[in-house]
Amino acid sequence: MYLDRIVGVVGAGSFGSAIANLLGENQRVLLYERNPESAQRIKSERKIKGTPLHKNVAIADSLQQVAENCFLLFPVVPSAFFKDMIIDFSPYLRADHIMIHATKGLHCEFDIEKANAKSIRLKDIQSMSDLILQETGIVRVGCMAGPNLAGEIMEGQPAATVIASRFNEVIYEGTLALKSNRFQVYGNRDILGIELSGVLKNYVAIASGALHGLGYGENARALLITRGMAEMIYIGKALGADKKAFLGIAGIGDLIATCTSPKSRNFSVGYRIAKGEKLEDILRDLGEVAEGVRTLKIGKLIVDHLGASAPLLQILNKILFEGLELERALHFLMRYPVTIDAEYLDL
Amino acid sequence: MSGRLYKPQDYPLPYVVSDIKQWPIYRLTHDREAFLADVKAIVLQRVKAKFPSSRALHEELARVLYQERIRLTEKPWKADPPDERMFWNSIKSKLVRLDQLNSESIITEETILNEIIDRYLNEIVGNFDSRAFGFARVFLPQFWGRIFSAAPGPWLKAFSRNAKTIHEKIPITGDVEKIRHLATKGTLVVVPTHFSNMDSIMVGWILSELGLPAFTYGAGLNLFSIGLLSFFMNRLGAYKLDRRKKNSVYLETLKNYSSVAIRRGAHSIFFPGGTRSRSGSLEKKLKLGLLGTAVEAQKNHYRDFPDETAPKIFVVPVIINYHFVLEAQALISDYLKETGKERFYRENDEYSTSFKLIRFIFKFLNASSSLSVSFGEVMDVVGNKVDDEGNSYNHLGNKINVRNYFMTNGEMKDDQQREEEYTKILGERIVDNYYRYNVVLTSHLVCFATFELLKKQFKDADLFSLLRTPEEDISLPYEQLANCINQLKDRLKEMYDRGKILISPELRWNVDKIIEHGMKNINLYHAVSPITKRTDGNISSEDLKLLYYYHNRLDGYGLEKFV
């Protein structure tokens, strides 16, 4: 520990605790868990899912305690619960707090199951940083994203992340808090691009799992990853992000990690679909949310709303929700007219 | 909107601070030497921090010299002092000598920098004269009264009219009482829209009518070569800014002049759009440099004072709406010439003599028109709303301490990039206010509808070919225009109810009266009419460029969908 300060982490899921442990190497950490029983258990066992907590990590009693003791806050909760969390947190947050979220997902003001692509408004689809700005008095907001599989971080393997923010100060403070011998931190000013990279890669990971499940090898996977990234760039550009973010660690870097790791939840959704399992059963088994499934639905609404085309996203929707056979879908994709390579660089 | 409503006959309101000697600008002028020394010290420190070695400073000075010599040959103005060339020649020879001499010379990069800063400061510095201010307060209503006089007639007749009727012609909307009160609690930074060279005097006068202490403001150097304008501006707290000078030392001097003035409590006017709006539309992108000085000054207050005593800076957007703009023709030609071709406007000095200005005024004496002045929401320097006592509230309605914006982990830290981001946020809020507190005048609505209908009629033509359409080919059925205006009226009413825009009282009239009022007001000034009625009753235009210019005033609201 070399910094004389306390930083806060909200959410003691697998990634939340991985981040808390990373932060614990540099300073004291207050970790908040919403469920009082889990919080109590973590407090007595000093372990989360079998992994010991760093000695500098303490379990917080309340969000208020976190806000009052920490100027730097890392919320790490699934996108579906993010808004509720931030509303609970809001009364204690001020303009001198800095918040760097690590949630890879989008929030929708409407019900995504019932929404009609024509009638939705794009401003009702928000990134987590939008939510923070909207629901709290915090101005200095950032996000972290990158190839950060929680399990590998917990094991102490080397990794890197990107912190994105309009404010250099946020990148600086985040880097100071996180950087260590085994964890490298890069900065980026395009927060929307970094957030969208983290979100959109999820559905490509499902496709990658499916390819793997069908028994296809590395040629097919490499093709999927590169073209998947191109599609992410198109969607990102349409939503106002810069292409650069997608070509960095949080874009292509994270994409490679999630598309090649059987440990990734989204990957395993695709894998099991290919093995003939039903989506409902898989989701029930997984327990935790597979952001990719949500991303597919929201992504389709966005693409249809804009009248754009994103073949991979559209065909995956057909596979998961309309029962299109995988082989036929693949056939369609392979016959999709293409022109030149790496054309997205000219966007 | 809360607060007391003032009637036209209430103006001018009593001064909020009755003793002129207590006005911040008076003290600033009185304490001029110390003030300038303050500015100079900061500029020196900033420039030296940016160019720490004498080598780097030398190169920068050479760049300044180069830029200034280019300006002298390519864009000379009458306002330039006669010894301008001599001064820069002497700087040049000193720099050359510095190259040849050894380090024992008494001339150093720093002494040259000193000399340049002194020259710039002397040029910029304004001079407030309390006696002239009082005179201006009495004289200006008559001046404006004649310009915006409602009754057409010989100017002598207009001259004899009671000056106070002017206030009926210039409706002021907004929470005047709150602004008056806040002027005693902190420093006001008024940020008006910018359409005309008349704006600075106009705003200065309106603010004095509200009983506020005199403001300091930057006015283009070229305006000072007009004797009459110069006379007033010099005495009304104006300082000079020169947009041709884009070198680092000048910009630093200018910025700090304004920043230190605000820090010393001088209420200020900034035109955040930078230059006058060429296209005639409301400003969407603001120049953040000067605006940033307000943010910086507020931060310095928090650094220098504990919470309760730190003076607060309040930002007040003002939207000025003219039925017609004096320089409309020149502005829109500039705009069309520059569109897509060059990034920067050519800074010319039109209306360069008192004679021309007086001719202007005479032209106006027979014109009948009104304008409106509308104050937006008062904000702090990060764009939060403030209440009558100057407390800030964030968008959630929570009372907040602005100091927190400048704090990290319990400490106050200097961070220029952070301030730039805050300035951007402030800029966005100001633009938002411009749109929401813009008052739609009949002339704007009529021009907007006419131009949009013509665009539909000539839908295959691009903007430039549409603007070249000969007058005889333009014929718009009157009924079509009337219907269109009726639809737009409904839409505007709906937007008004949702707080998206303001509308002038005339907009509640029936459509024929609206068209008549709009056409009458806009055509009174221009020699060629932007909008005319043909003998067959249809609508036409003698000058499509002007029509386009006035139409642009309602650009950016998505109204074209309702045409």
Side-chain angles (χ1 to χ4, degrees):
Chain A
M1 184 173 89
Y2 74 101
L3 296 168
D4 182 24
R5 65 186 194 188
I6 315 177
V7 301
V9 177
V10 177
S14 44
F15 194 40
S17 38
I19 289 180
N21 271 1
L22 267 179
L23 290 165
E25 292 184 16
N26 294 338
Q27 64 253 296
R28 282 185 294 158
V29 179
L30 261 179
L31 174 63
Y32 176 80
E33 162 58 40
R34 184 173 57 151
N35 183 329
E37 287 159 27
S38 321
Q40 204 47 50
R41 198 175 55 242
I42 299 169
K43 224 172 182 170
S44 55
E45 291 176 4
R46 300 283 308 158
K47 272 183 184 165
I48 292 175
K49 292 183 183 158
T51 314
L53 273 186
H54 193 283
K55 63 175 178 6
N56 285 336
V57 179
I59 302 299
D61 300 321
S62 65
L63 284 170
Q64 183 175 2
Q65 186 196 10
V66 177
E68 278 168 8
N69 288 284
C70 315
F71 79 99
L72 183 58
L73 306 164
F74 291 85
V76 194
V77 300
S79 63
F81 310 128
F82 199 92
K83 189 169 182 184
D84 290 341
M85 179 280 297
I86 207 74
I87 288 174
D88 289 344
F89 210 173
S90 178
Y92 316 113
L93 300 174
R94 297 182 312 253
D96 55 344
H97 281 112
I98 291 178
M99 189 173 263
I100 301 174
H101 78 83
T103 299
K104 291 166 180 171
L106 292 170
H107 170 80
C108 290
E109 272 302 309
F110 47 80
D111 181 352
I112 52 173
E113 305 297 336
K114 293 180 189 144
N116 174 336
K118 286 248 159 55
S119 59
I120 59 165
R121 292 181 306 178
L122 283 185
K123 67 174 182 191
D124 286 334
I125 302 173
Q126 293 164 303
S127 71
M128 298 302 119
S129 64
D130 291 337
L131 276 182
I132 299 169
L133 290 171
Q134 178 188 299
E135 300 297 336
T136 77
I138 296 182
V139 197
R140 285 170 270 173
V141 174
C143 87
M144 66 177 280
N148 302 143
L149 296 163
E152 293 181 11
I153 291 178
M154 281 298 213
E155 286 166 17
Q157 295 189 30
T161 199
V162 176
I163 294 181
S165 174
R166 285 170 73 160
F167 292 90
N168 288 349
E169 183 188 12
V170 175
I171 297 170
Y172 173 79
E173 290 294 344
T175 306
L176 209 60
L178 280 164
K179 197 175 160 77
S180 74
N181 290 335
R182 60 191 178 91
F183 202 70
Q184 182 66 276
V185 183
Y186 292 80
N188 192 311
R189 293 287 299 278
D190 179 19
I191 182 163
L192 179 64
I194 295 296
E195 285 181 307
L196 287 175
S197 311
V199 173
L200 294 172
K201 62 116 216 259
N202 287 329
Y203 79 80
V204 187
I206 295 181
S208 176
L211 278 184
H212 191 63
L214 288 173
Y216 294 114
E218 304 308 324
N219 289 345
R221 174 142 65 198
L223 172 63
L224 173 81
I225 292 176
T226 24
R227 289 319 298 175
M229 187 186 68
E231 197 170 292
M232 286 163 61
I233 292 178
Y234 281 111
I235 300 174
K237 281 291 268 189
L239 294 175
D242 186 51
K243 64 174 179 261
K244 253 169 135 178
F246 295 89
L247 298 168
I249 297 189
I252 186 75
D254 197 6
L255 192 60
I256 292 172
T258 32
C259 284
T260 54
S261 159
K263 289 180 212 161
S264 133
R265 273 194 293 277
N266 295 307
F267 183 95
S268 64
V269 170
Y271 182 82
R272 290 169 66 175
I273 289 273
K275 291 295 178 197
E277 287 188 56
K278 284 223 158 56
L279 182 62
E280 305 89 78
D281 300 335
I282 304 170
L283 292 180
R284 200 180 318 118
D285 274 5
L286 275 175
E288 277 185 272
V289 200
E291 290 280 4
V293 178
R294 243 176 87 81
T295 307
L296 268 183
K297 290 178 183 166
I298 300 173
K300 181 160 190 312
L301 286 170
I302 295 172
V303 168
D304 289 353
H305 180 81
L306 295 170
S309 92
L312 183 61
L313 180 127
Q314 281 154 331
I315 211 93
L316 274 171
N317 262 284
K318 287 212 165 90
I319 297 169
L320 262 70
F321 311 121
E322 292 168 30
L324 178 71
E325 287 164 37
L326 268 178
E327 287 294 349
R328 280 190 59 195
L330 194 62
H331 184 70
F332 169 81
L333 282 179
M334 289 309 290
R335 289 179 50 120
Y336 196 80
V338 291
T339 49
I340 47 166
D341 191 25
E343 79 293 356
Y344 45 81
L345 286 178
D346 303 324
L347 275 181
Chain B
M1 238 167 265
S2 68
R4 220 181 113 187
L5 277 178
Y6 290 102
K7 291 190 211 62
Q9 60 268 29
D10 294 336
Y11 292 101
L13 306 178
Y15 286 126
V16 290
V17 178
S18 52
D19 181 4
I20 288 189
K21 291 202 170 101
Q22 294 305 314
W23 290 5
I25 192 168
Y26 182 90
R27 279 181 285 155
L28 196 74
T29 321
H30 216 71
D31 204 12
R32 190 168 145 142
E33 295 308 315
F35 164 60
L36 292 181
D38 217 3
V39 179
K40 189 174 163 186
I42 297 175
V43 179
L44 267 174
Q45 183 207 334
R46 291 267 165 100
V47 175
K48 275 179 0 200
K50 235 190 272 176
F51 308 99
S53 69
S54 63
R55 187 74 251 158
L57 186 57
H58 192 101
E59 276 168 22
E60 187 55 24
L61 291 176
R63 201 164 327 158
V64 172
L65 173 69
Y66 173 74
Q67 282 169 302
E68 285 293 48
R69 287 167 64 91
I70 289 202
R71 168 181 69 82
L72 275 170
T73 33
E74 287 182 2
K75 302 168 187 163
W77 276 354
K78 264 181 285 174
D80 292 329
D83 67 340
E84 191 83 338
R85 197 167 283 277
M86 236 164 66
F87 173 79
W88 289 106
N89 281 340
S90 88
I91 294 290
K92 183 188 170 191
S93 60
K94 278 174 194 161
L95 273 175
V96 171
R97 250 188 299 160
L98 210 55
D99 276 336
Q100 298 156 349
L101 285 173
N102 53 32
S103 53
E104 281 131 56
S105 154
I106 45 158
I107 300 172
T108 63
E109 278 80 10
E110 202 171 324
T111 57
I112 298 176
L113 175 62
N114 255 292
E115 221 181 307
I116 297 177
I117 297 174
D118 277 337
R119 180 158 182 104
Y120 284 153
L121 265 179
N122 274 327
E123 179 191 289
I124 293 167
V125 72
N127 191 5
F128 174 72
D129 178 335
S130 56
R131 273 170 312 169
F133 185 80
F135 166 66
R137 201 183 193 221
V138 174
F139 177 79
L140 276 174
Q142 303 196 17
F143 176 82
W144 293 117
R146 278 177 290 137
I147 289 191
F148 298 102
S149 147
W155 73 277
L156 271 171
K157 202 171 126 201
F159 186 75
S160 67
R161 286 165 56 86
N162 180 354
K164 276 195 176 167
T165 57
I166 177 71
H167 298 107
E168 288 162 310
K169 300 297 150 216
I170 307 180
I172 298 173
T173 55
D175 199 338
V176 168
E177 195 54 32
K178 178 170 173 179
I179 295 167
R180 279 167 58 84
H181 184 58
L182 290 176
T184 62
K185 303 214 75 153
T187 309
L188 301 183
V189 173
V190 169
V191 284
T193 52
H194 199 3
F195 290 94
S196 167
N197 281 335
M198 311 291 265
D199 289 337
S200 52
I201 298 183
M202 188 77 211
V203 178
W205 169 67
I206 293 276
L207 293 170
S208 95
E209 291 289 295
L210 301 187
L212 300 171
F215 279 64
T216 178
Y217 60 95
L221 184 65
N222 48 334
L223 299 181
F224 284 83
S225 56
I226 309 171
L228 191 64
L229 276 180
S230 169
F231 176 81
F232 284 112
M233 290 191 303
N234 261 327
R235 286 157 181 80
L236 287 173
Y239 59 89
K240 304 182 190 73
L241 48 90
D242 185 347
R243 293 205 179 77
R244 296 168 305 168
K245 302 193 180 100
K246 296 188 193 298
N247 70 69
S248 60
V249 177
Y250 180 77
L251 293 178
E252 201 62 61
T253 312
L254 185 65
K255 249 174 76 172
N256 286 297
Y257 179 92
S258 118
S259 180
V260 175
I262 297 177
R263 257 168 81 189
R264 288 174 162 247
H267 305 299
S268 304
I269 301 171
F270 290 165
F271 289 98
T275 57
R276 290 163 296 163
S277 164
R278 261 37 182 200
S279 67
S281 62
L282 284 162
E283 284 102 330
K284 286 190 193 78
K285 273 238 148 70
L286 303 185
K287 292 257 165 63
L288 301 171
L290 265 187
L291 210 53
T293 61
V295 180
E296 190 189 351
Q298 182 67 79
K299 180 206 64 192
N300 289 336
H301 279 326
Y302 284 128
R303 191 193 54 204
D304 301 341
F305 299 90
D307 245 3
E308 305 71 42
T309 54
K312 202 155 172 182
I313 292 161
F314 302 112
V315 179
V316 189
V318 181
I319 300 91
I320 313 168
N321 278 289
Y322 301 89
H323 267 296
F324 50 80
V325 173
L326 308 187
E327 317 92 306
Q329 214 136 18
L331 291 171
I332 191 68
S333 325
D334 258 12
Y335 173 71
L336 293 169
K337 243 181 262 163
E338 311 289 347
T339 310
K341 285 186 195 158
E342 271 179 54
R343 277 189 65 192
F344 300 104
Y345 299 129
R346 182 170 36 91
E347 293 290 350
N348 52 13
D349 54 348
E350 72 244 47
Y351 318 117
S352 47
T353 61
S354 290
F355 172 72
K356 279 189 188 169
L357 186 75
I358 289 169
R359 211 176 58 187
F360 251 163
I361 297 167
F362 276 30
K363 257 189 165 179
F364 265 131
L365 297 182
N366 290 316
S368 107
S369 185
S370 63
L371 83 173
S372 86
V373 174
S374 153
F375 287 91
E377 287 158 349
V378 184
M379 304 181 274
D380 60 31
V381 296
V382 245
N384 295 301
K385 288 182 198 170
V386 300
D387 67 7
D388 292 352
E389 293 309 311
N391 301 305
S392 291
Y393 292 81
N394 68 15
H395 63 292
L396 302 169
N398 300 329
K399 190 170 164 181
I400 54 160
N401 185 348
V402 177
R403 178 189 292 268
N404 283 338
Y405 284 83
F406 304 99
M407 307 284 286
T408 306
N409 199 11
E411 272 176 60
M412 177 146 250
K413 272 195 206 154
D414 269 333
D415 186 336
Q416 211 186 331
Q417 196 267 339
R418 175 169 72 197
E419 283 168 33
E420 282 164 17
E421 291 300 320
Y422 289 160
T423 311
K424 279 184 207 159
I425 295 172
L426 175 63
E428 285 161 19
R429 301 279 152 85
I430 293 173
V431 170
D432 177 57
N433 263 265
Y434 284 170
Y435 279 82
R436 283 195 293 128
Y437 292 90
N438 181 24
V439 178
V440 184
L441 301 180
T442 51
S443 52
H444 301 156
L445 179 59
V446 174
C447 287
F448 182 82
T450 308
F451 194 81
E452 286 296 326
L453 286 172
L454 289 176
K455 240 163 76 181
K456 266 179 132 177
Q457 209 178 64
F458 297 90
K459 57 177 178 297
D460 294 331
D462 64 14
L463 176 66
F464 287 89
S465 38
L466 173 60
L467 291 177
R468 280 196 303 269
T469 310
E471 188 192 338
E472 49 277 17
D473 292 353
I474 303 167
S475 172
L476 194 67
Y478 180 85
E479 279 310 306
Q480 207 184 338
L481 177 65
N483 286 339
C484 174
I485 287 179
N486 264 329
Q487 276 183 30
L488 288 171
K489 240 178 87 180
D490 291 345
R491 173 68 187 162
L492 286 168
K493 174 77 178 41
E494 197 185 297
M495 287 169 65
Y496 170 78
D497 290 340
R498 287 191 291 129
K500 299 277 183 209
I501 203 165
L502 297 178
I503 46 186
S504 69
E506 293 85 10
L507 249 62
R508 300 182 194 278
W509 294 348
N510 77 43
V511 65
D512 294 330
K513 274 183 81 181
I514 292 181
I515 296 178
E516 193 199 323
H517 187 261
M519 280 178 64
K520 191 177 97 191
N521 274 301
I522 203 156
N523 288 339
L524 266 165
Y525 169 61
H526 293 292
V528 282
S529 305
I531 177 160
T532 54
K533 215 168 185 176
R534 292 158 44 121
T535 43
D536 59 7
N538 284 359
I539 298 294
S540 184
S541 169
E542 291 172 4
D543 192 331
L544 282 168
K545 278 198 226 167
L546 278 176
L547 181 69
Y548 175 61
Y549 173 85
Y550 289 109
H551 144 278
N552 283 345
R553 191 62 201 239
L554 289 178
D555 186 34
Y557 287 100
L559 283 169
E560 48 285 344
K561 281 181 290 201
F562 298 85
V563 171

